[in-house]
Amino acid sequence: MARFRPESAACPCCGSKGNRHIHAYYGRRSIDCIHGRRGYGNVCVMRLICSNCGHTHAILPDILIPYDQYGFFFILRVLAERFLLNRTIEQLCDRFSITRGQFYKWLRLWRIHKKEWLGLLASAETVDSTFLKTLTGIDPFSDFTSAFLRFTAHSFFQSHRNPADYHQPAFCP
């Protein structure tokens, strides 16, 4: 976010360059993992407006998943405890106050997005724990999240596509 310059970015709706300006900020509360437990974090989100088409856009940091209340690293923590520590689903649901349905939604998205990123064959050959370790070891982590967004046009763990018809897939630092 420190390298992001709204005035030089193209509008994802109309494609015009140099017409986006800071419009406002808002706070977003997300469920996160704090000291190994479920907790809440507050993030300041920047909104931009395009002076050409009038559309506004939120610039989300990569720790937030569009349209979701759970933070990226919270979901990774839950999956890590499943893949690396072999915790049961009941243990995970109790420990992190989530439903079985929520856990299975994340597991389904994990498998879909893993295939999108690695490809079908490599995904089948790569065990979940290995991919998780690789993913969390990427430095800076933003390189993975921005590359995944550019490649797939959605964020990792994002459950549905963006409603807008974008002309530009993502901001690239």
Side-chain angles (χ1 to χ4, degrees):
M1 292 303 294
R3 294 183 286 172
F4 179 68
R5 299 289 175 253
E7 61 279 355
S8 63
C11 175
C13 287
C14 71
S16 68
K17 290 195 178 226
N19 293 318
R20 291 180 14 160
H21 308 282
I22 295 173
H23 176 62
Y25 292 91
Y26 68 91
R28 179 163 160 188
R29 189 172 179 184
S30 71
I31 299 171
D32 207 344
C33 194
I34 301 169
H35 304 295
R37 291 293 205 206
R38 179 184 171 128
Y40 296 92
N42 292 309
V43 178
C44 183
V45 176
M46 178 191 309
R47 286 199 63 77
L48 303 178
I49 189 167
C50 176
S51 57
N52 187 53
C53 68
H55 281 92
T56 61
H57 314 281
I59 306 299
L60 295 179
D62 54 14
I63 59 170
L64 296 179
I65 300 166
Y67 313 106
D68 205 330
Q69 64 182 339
Y70 294 95
F72 190 86
F73 290 109
F74 179 82
I75 299 171
L76 284 184
R77 176 64 181 253
V78 171
L79 293 175
E81 290 200 15
R82 175 70 177 148
F83 300 146
L84 302 173
L85 301 177
N86 294 319
R87 301 228 193 272
T88 67
I89 295 165
E90 290 76 22
Q91 288 172 323
L92 294 172
C93 291
D94 288 343
R95 176 167 160 66
F96 293 106
S97 300
I98 59 173
T99 65
R100 291 175 65 87
Q102 185 66 61
F103 174 79
Y104 283 118
K105 174 186 167 187
W106 292 337
L107 189 59
R108 180 182 54 81
L109 287 169
W110 168 263
R111 291 192 173 130
I112 291 168
H113 293 172
K114 180 181 162 196
K115 281 181 199 166
E116 286 179 333
W117 183 248
L118 297 176
L120 186 60
L121 187 57
S123 179
E125 294 175 343
T126 307
V127 295
D128 290 323
S129 58
T130 301
F131 183 56
L132 184 81
K133 287 177 185 176
T134 302
L135 197 62
T136 56
I138 295 172
D139 186 32
F141 187 71
S142 294
D143 287 350
F144 166 74
T145 56
S146 61
F148 187 87
L149 181 62
R150 283 192 310 277
F151 183 67
T152 65
H154 60 274
S155 296
F156 203 84
F157 290 125
Q158 183 176 339
S159 62
H160 62 280
R161 304 288 188 223
N162 294 325
D165 180 26
Y166 289 123
H167 296 273
Q168 174 186 335
F171 161 69
C172 179

